[in-house]
Amino acid sequence: MRSVAAVVALVVCVHAGLWSLLQRQQAVANIDAPLASVSYSPYAQSQHPDYGDRPTPEQIRADLKILSPYTNTIRTYSSTGGGELVPAIAAEFGLKVTLGIWIDKNEARNEREIQSAIALARRYTNINAIVVGNETTLRADKTIDELKALIQRVKRMSPVPVTTGEIWTVWRDHPELASAVDFIAAHILEYWVGIPAEKVVDETIAHYNKLRAIHPGKRIVIAEFGWPSAGYNMLKANPGRIEQATVLRDFISRAEAYGIDYNIIEAFDQPWKTNEGGVGMYWGMFDASRHAKFSWAGLVNDPDHWKLGGLAVLLGLLLSLPILARSNATFGEAVTLAVAANVVGAWFATIFAFWQTHYFVLGAAFALGLGIVLLIPLAAIALARIEEIAAIAFGRGPRRLIAAALPAPDGFAPTVSIHVPAHREPPDMLKATLDAVARLDYPNFECVVVINNTPDPTFWRPIEEHCRTLGERFKFIHDDNVAGYKAGALRLALAHTAADAEIIGVIDADYVVRPDWLKDLVPAFVDAKVGMIQAPQDHRDGERTVMHHAMNGEYAGFFDIGMVQRNEANAIIVHGTMCLIRRAALNSAGGWSSDTIVEDCDLGLLVLEQGWQIHYTNRRYGHGLLPDTFDAFKKQRHRWAYGGFQILQKHWRHLLPRVGGLTREQKREFGVGWLNWLGAEAIGVVVAILNLVWVPVVAFAGIAIPDMILTLPILAAFVVTFAHFIALYRLRVAISFGQMMAAVVAAMSVQWTVARAVGYGIWKESLPFMRTAKGGATSKGPDFPAFWEAVLGALLLIGAVIVVATNYKQIHEINIFALVLVVQSLPFLAAVAIGALEASRFNNFAYWHGIKARIALPGRAVVAKAPVDQKSVVSNQ
């Protein structure tokens, strides 16, 4: 434990060191004197200029008290709605006011604004100018001529100079507007045209000089200059606190040196500016809580960097604490788990910082909250997969695994009753199964064959005759009124089991067992605590087609990776076939239950809850048949997933702390296992559908949420899942690289199927048991087996194209969002690929062998394998 603690401490220290190295600092000119002018809108965080509560004198006074040390002048944008209070209070602090008149299409309001501004200018001597309208022509609220008329009207009544605020190109292109004002108030906000922060000051001064050349002798004021501290990028312009501080300090220093009149936008963040994309709320020198975002002297850095770093390191440490309970963890395991925990800790800290430094309307807050709720289980799943990688790649080898034949004590050969349930199974296939049982190298066994609910005699009469041929060890039962599906058939078999049978063996109707199955594994029952022994499923028709080759590789991963690891905690998933059960354990668990459609998994968990030991071997003692078609493969997976959800509903209380029956390790394995399988697939589909719904919002409403804190974790989870699959297959599964990649596709192809099963589990109490079509008798149906996957996959790809094509501002988050859509389409496209493969000539191995023959070197003989005839496979066993 000390060594593990030392590793955790080392990783935490490295994490802290990385935060130190990643701290951004930049030397910029110091600003010692007050700023020439700063834009001020007197609205608090929850206020809006068009509705709601009005600013109070106390509120404005508190704001101007904060601003007075930083500037000599403030520029306002409205003379009503609270703006009329500003000049008098500004005078208390010795501040001049450039008074704004808000002009839009509301003529009644425009008139009130004009009258109020004229009255204020005549009353307060600290008003030094009036600005009629703010980017009025840019918003198309007024034409140039209409705006000129308003300016001229105000000039006739105003005791101070009059102008209007427009972007610099308007002044460049409309000299007639310049002739109507007393001075030019040009807005030069290069963020909006995508100029990078390091070039913005040079560009701004260049635009200023162009205006001077166009309007010689005219006073020119840069009436708006600024940079946002947060939000989304605009082309190459990236917002940020350090960028904001650097740009403002550099500009002010050079403006003072060149004698340029300027006004900085703005004093305080304005959370109501949701109409200005993702950055409208973040132009303030102070945040909405009136806290300074940066210092005007010294190195420019993020003042919250170490708050965020400290939180990330603390969370990383807390998430690493469970590693200390793994006293047998190796150095590699501890390092891997600690690094993963600290990465997740940093992500949580980033979410917290995002929440603290951004402003949210209800919809944005809901989207962020929902995204985090969905991503937290994905993070837990990713950590579980990383833990499995660490255990297999760096941990100690399996200790409970039955890796070889077990020696039998002298005279130990308890009677075994082998049960073979069958429902409408091909007789030739079932005969091959019974022939293999007859060849078992074990002295004391019987075989009970139950054909249930199969009235057609062509299915059961040949088996009845075959059992007679095989001798008295084989008992044949045919009953067409069995309730409870496969569990009911197994209960019937148990009722006809020999009284002295101590061990029950269960095999599916398609399984051909090896002669040494019982001889090798029954000795494990010498230990009175052992209740079950499970051997893996395997298949003898994996080379039937390319599709079956992929399926077989996918199955192998579960039995060579997951089952081996779960066995270390005495927590395997019992899967029925190739299973040996102590009769006493079966009875103590209440026998085979029909309240789920996965009676085998249910029984296994019940046996564990009774305190029995279950052992696993990954040696292949039997080979069955794969599902005939992709549709059958999906239906089988749907039954397993739906049944898994049923078991979770039935047994979840046994996973709670302080509830007896299961050990802590067993509870963890089953809890994480269900989350890893059912949760990952269901959440993946839900997130993909939600992202699809969000596509038109991103593409056409100009809202770029989700942020990178939501999109990057989805990509990271995909990378972890892929790395988990590849790494563990290479370490544990003895298949070729090509079959492994085909298994990846097969594994992804059932995401929609598993998610649908979870949905059915939530909304439907029960589904009928569906037999998996095997034996080569079932051909592909007329319908495409991946129709809905094709629809969803196509929509995700189209969505990705749309958001990229409409991303005129080249916002990074939107491009990442498009990449997420592409990644999320892969499981759906995998199903489409297998469905298309099944119907094509490429599914036949003979086609690929033919290609190999054609590209072989001249004169070199290549023998192409003939396609496998499934009937011959069955009959030759």
Side-chain angles (χ1 to χ4, degrees), residues 378-535:
L378 280 186
I381 290 165
L383 284 176
R385 289 174 174 169
I386 291 172
E387 181 179 355
E388 194 168 27
I389 293 174
I392 293 175
F394 306 114
R396 295 176 175 87
R399 298 183 178 184
R400 295 185 78 249
L401 182 69
I402 299 175
L406 298 173
D410 291 341
F412 184 80
T415 301
V416 178
S417 182
I418 299 170
H419 297 174
V420 185
H423 168 72
R424 296 184 62 84
E425 303 290 357
D428 287 345
M429 180 185 77
L430 186 49
K431 285 180 183 180
T433 297
L434 299 180
D435 288 342
V437 172
R439 294 192 293 268
L440 284 170
D441 182 14
Y442 190 79
N444 301 322
F445 75 90
E446 68 171 5
C447 181
V448 182
V449 182
V450 177
I451 298 184
N452 67 293
N453 302 21
T454 308
D456 187 347
T458 60
F459 284 98
W460 61 266
R461 283 199 185 278
I463 304 304
E464 183 180 34
E465 290 296 326
H466 198 64
C467 286
R468 290 196 188 100
T469 302
L470 292 175
E472 61 183 11
R473 283 186 172 186
F474 288 79
K475 299 179 181 178
F476 175 81
I477 302 167
H478 171 236
D479 191 333
D480 288 333
N481 295 298
V482 176
Y485 308 108
K486 183 178 178 181
L490 290 170
R491 287 195 295 269
L492 183 59
L494 189 62
H496 289 79
T497 296
D500 64 339
E502 299 178 38
I503 310 296
I504 306 298
V506 180
I507 58 174
D508 284 348
D510 59 312
Y511 265 76
V512 173
V513 296
R514 281 172 33 183
D516 54 355
W517 174 40
L518 299 183
K519 181 184 70 173
D520 286 0
L521 299 183
V522 167
F525 289 99
V526 169
D527 184 350
K529 297 179 182 178
V530 173
M532 302 178 75
I533 303 294
Q534 179 70 67

Side-chain angles (χ1 to χ4, degrees), residues 14-23 305-306 308-310 312-313 346 349-350:
V14 171
H15 186 192
L18 287 175
W19 279 96
S20 178
L21 292 174
L22 294 173
Q23 184 179 22
H305 178 83
W306 277 114
L308 176 61
V313 171
T350 304

Side-chain angles (χ1 to χ4, degrees), residues 632-645:
F633 177 66
K634 290 176 60 181
K635 286 180 179 178
Q636 182 190 62
R637 195 58 55 93
H638 188 278
R639 174 166 60 86
W640 290 352
Y642 180 82
F645 195 84

Side-chain angles (χ1 to χ4, degrees), residues 510-780:
D510 59 312
Y511 265 76
V512 173
V513 296
R514 281 172 33 183
D516 54 355
W517 174 40
L518 299 183
K519 181 184 70 173
D520 286 0
L521 299 183
V522 167
F525 289 99
V526 169
D527 184 350
K529 297 179 182 178
V530 173
M532 302 178 75
I533 303 294
Q534 179 70 67
Q537 293 182 19
D538 207 340
H539 308 92
R540 60 186 187 270
D541 59 341
E543 301 303 306
R544 195 196 321 181
T545 66
V546 176
M547 179 186 71
H548 288 87
H549 191 62
M551 287 181 190
N552 207 27
E554 195 267 343
Y555 285 116
F558 174 75
F559 294 106
D560 285 336
I561 300 169
M563 288 285 277
V564 173
Q565 290 307 112
R566 295 177 68 100
N567 183 58
E568 295 303 295
N570 187 30
I572 67 166
I573 300 292
V574 173
H575 51 85
T577 191
M578 302 307 302
C579 179
L580 297 173
I581 313 164
R582 189 186 295 272
R583 193 171 189 175
L586 178 59
N587 291 334
S588 71
W592 298 100
S593 172
S594 295
D595 54 5
T596 74
I597 60 173
V598 281
E599 71 295 321
D600 41 15
C601 301
D602 187 21
L603 176 66
L605 190 48
L606 286 167
V607 168
L608 290 173
E609 289 167 0
Q610 295 296 315
W612 294 91
Q613 294 284 314
I614 300 179
H615 285 280
Y616 177 71
T617 177
N618 62 349
R619 297 184 74 190
R620 272 53 173 174
Y621 284 100
H623 293 79
L625 298 176
L626 291 159
D628 283 337
T629 63
F630 183 46
D631 187 56
F633 177 66
K634 290 176 60 181
K635 286 180 179 178
Q636 182 190 62
R637 195 58 55 93
H638 188 278
R639 174 166 60 86
W640 290 352
Y642 180 82
F645 195 84
Q646 284 183 311
I647 294 176
L648 179 58
Q649 290 176 312
K650 180 178 178 179
H651 293 269
W652 66 269
R653 291 177 182 83
H654 292 275
L655 303 182
L656 298 176
R658 300 191 184 91
V659 176
L662 298 176
T663 66
R664 183 181 65 179
E665 290 76 15
Q666 288 172 328
K667 291 176 181 180
R668 183 184 181 281
E669 287 294 337
F670 281 102
V672 172
W674 277 316
L675 177 65
N676 202 3
W677 182 35
L678 302 178
E681 308 294 16
I683 292 171
V685 169
V686 169
V687 173
I689 292 174
L690 289 175
N691 282 345
L692 267 180
V693 172
W694 201 252
V695 164
V697 179
V698 174
F700 306 117
I703 301 175
I705 290 176
D707 197 84
M708 283 190 284
I709 60 170
L710 300 181
T711 51
L712 287 179
I714 296 175
L715 297 177
F718 174 79
V719 170
V720 168
T721 298
F722 189 76
H724 173 268
F725 197 103
I726 299 299
L728 300 193
Y729 260 72
R730 300 309 292 168
L731 290 169
R732 283 281 175 87
V733 186
I735 60 175
S736 67
F737 181 81
Q739 188 175 11
M740 178 188 69
M741 297 310 297
V744 171
V745 177
M748 289 195 298
S749 72
V750 289
Q751 183 187 60
W752 171 247
T753 301
V754 173
R756 284 182 67 244
V758 172
Y760 274 110
I762 295 172
W763 297 110
K764 289 194 175 185
E765 292 185 3
S766 64
L767 288 176
F769 183 97
M770 299 294 292
R771 171 187 171 273
T772 302
K774 298 180 181 180
T778 305
S779 59
K780 179 185 178 298

Side-chain angles (χ1 to χ4, degrees), residues 6-150:
V7 170
V8 169
L10 175 63
V11 172
V12 169
C13 290
V14 171
H15 186 192
L18 287 175
W19 279 96
S20 178
L21 292 174
L22 294 173
Q23 184 179 22
R24 295 173 58 200
Q25 295 188 121
Q26 190 165 343
V28 190
N30 294 333
I31 304 300
D32 302 320
L35 309 185
S37 177
V38 176
S39 294
Y40 171 64
S41 296
Y43 304 105
Q45 185 163 344
S46 59
Q47 293 174 328
H48 194 282
D50 295 331
Y51 50 80
D53 297 334
R54 301 290 89 191
T56 64
E58 292 76 17
Q59 174 187 325
I60 296 172
R61 187 170 286 108
D63 285 348
L64 297 186
K65 182 179 180 180
I66 294 172
L67 285 179
S68 58
Y70 292 92
T71 184
N72 295 319
T73 305
I74 57 174
R75 175 189 171 186
T76 65
Y77 292 85
S78 175
S79 295
T80 62
E84 72 278 7
L85 303 174
V86 174
I89 300 173
E92 298 175 13
F93 295 96
L95 294 172
K96 295 185 180 298
V97 177
T98 302
L99 189 65
I101 296 176
W102 186 258
I103 299 294
D104 55 25
K105 294 182 179 180
N106 187 334
E107 297 300 337
R109 173 175 169 169
N110 293 346
E111 185 61 29
R112 291 195 301 272
E113 284 279 327
I114 291 172
Q115 295 301 325
S116 176
I118 296 301
L120 291 169
R122 291 173 176 175
R123 181 175 180 182
Y124 296 106
T125 58
N126 63 324
I127 295 176
N128 62 4
I130 293 177
V131 182
V132 182
N134 187 70
E135 298 182 355
T136 309
T137 63
L138 181 66
R139 296 193 312 275
D141 285 338
K142 297 293 180 184
T143 65
I144 293 292
D145 290 339
E146 289 170 337
L147 182 58
K148 282 175 56 182
L150 283 174

Side-chain angles (χ1 to χ4, degrees), residues 75-406:
R75 175 189 171 186
T76 65
Y77 292 85
S78 175
S79 295
T80 62
E84 72 278 7
L85 303 174
V86 174
I89 300 173
E92 298 175 13
F93 295 96
L95 294 172
K96 295 185 180 298
V97 177
T98 302
L99 189 65
I101 296 176
W102 186 258
I103 299 294
D104 55 25
K105 294 182 179 180
N106 187 334
E107 297 300 337
R109 173 175 169 169
N110 293 346
E111 185 61 29
R112 291 195 301 272
E113 284 279 327
I114 291 172
Q115 295 301 325
S116 176
I118 296 301
L120 291 169
R122 291 173 176 175
R123 181 175 180 182
Y124 296 106
T125 58
N126 63 324
I127 295 176
N128 62 4
I130 293 177
V131 182
V132 182
N134 187 70
E135 298 182 355
T136 309
T137 63
L138 181 66
R139 296 193 312 275
D141 285 338
K142 297 293 180 184
T143 65
I144 293 292
D145 290 339
E146 289 170 337
L147 182 58
K148 282 175 56 182
L150 283 174
I151 293 169
Q152 290 165 353
R153 178 188 169 197
V154 172
K155 283 178 68 175
R156 288 193 293 269
M157 297 183 289
S158 173
V160 295
V162 177
T163 187
T164 186
E166 289 288 349
I167 61 174
W168 76 276
T169 54
V170 172
W171 298 105
R172 180 194 65 188
D173 299 336
H174 296 280
E176 69 275 21
L177 181 62
S179 65
V181 299
D182 294 319
F183 64 93
I184 292 172
H187 297 175
I188 307 179
L189 299 170
E190 293 298 87
Y191 164 83
W192 293 113
V193 292
I195 302 299
E198 58 271 18
K199 296 181 179 179
V200 67
V201 175
D202 290 337
E203 291 289 326
T204 298
I205 293 175
H207 297 328
Y208 173 82
N209 288 331
K210 288 179 183 177
L211 291 179
R212 287 184 62 190
I214 295 171
H215 306 286
K218 195 84 171 184
R219 180 188 172 209
I220 299 173
V221 176
I222 299 179
E224 281 189 358
F225 177 88
W227 198 262
S229 63
Y232 302 110
N233 70 290
M234 171 71 73
L235 302 176
K236 296 181 180 180
N238 294 302
R241 285 196 172 190
I242 292 177
E243 287 78 6
Q244 182 187 50
T246 302
V247 167
L248 291 183
R249 285 171 58 173
D250 186 21
F251 170 76
I252 292 167
S253 173
R254 294 171 68 179
E256 295 287 353
Y258 297 157
I260 298 174
D261 287 339
Y262 64 89
N263 172 75
I264 299 299
I265 183 169
E266 58 193 322
F268 304 107
D269 282 349
Q270 300 295 305
W272 58 271
K273 289 185 178 179
T274 57
N275 62 324
E276 295 184 6
V279 300
M281 300 176 277
Y282 303 105
W283 291 77
M285 303 185 305
F286 297 82
D287 63 25
S289 299
R290 278 41 185 173
H291 298 134
K293 295 182 183 177
F294 56 86
S295 172
W296 292 96
L299 291 175
V300 172
N301 54 39
D302 183 356
D304 293 332
H305 178 83
W306 277 114
K307 295 179 184 178
L308 176 61
L311 180 61
V313 171
L314 176 60
L315 290 174
L317 175 61
L318 293 176
L319 291 172
S320 299
L321 292 180
I323 306 172
L324 300 179
R326 303 168 64 96
S327 57
N328 61 344
T330 65
F331 177 81
E333 279 184 281
V335 169
T336 304
L337 296 177
V339 169
N342 279 269
V343 169
V344 174
W347 175 60
F348 279 128
T350 304
I351 291 174
F352 177 79
F354 185 86
W355 185 267
Q356 291 292 308
T357 57
H358 288 70
Y359 311 109
F360 299 95
V361 296
L362 181 61
F366 175 79
L368 178 65
L370 179 61
I372 292 172
V373 166
L374 292 172
L375 286 177
I376 286 176
L378 280 186
I381 290 165
L383 284 176
R385 289 174 174 169
I386 291 172
E387 181 179 355
E388 194 168 27
I389 293 174
I392 293 175
F394 306 114
R396 295 176 175 87
R399 298 183 178 184
R400 295 185 78 249
L401 182 69
I402 299 175
L406 298 173

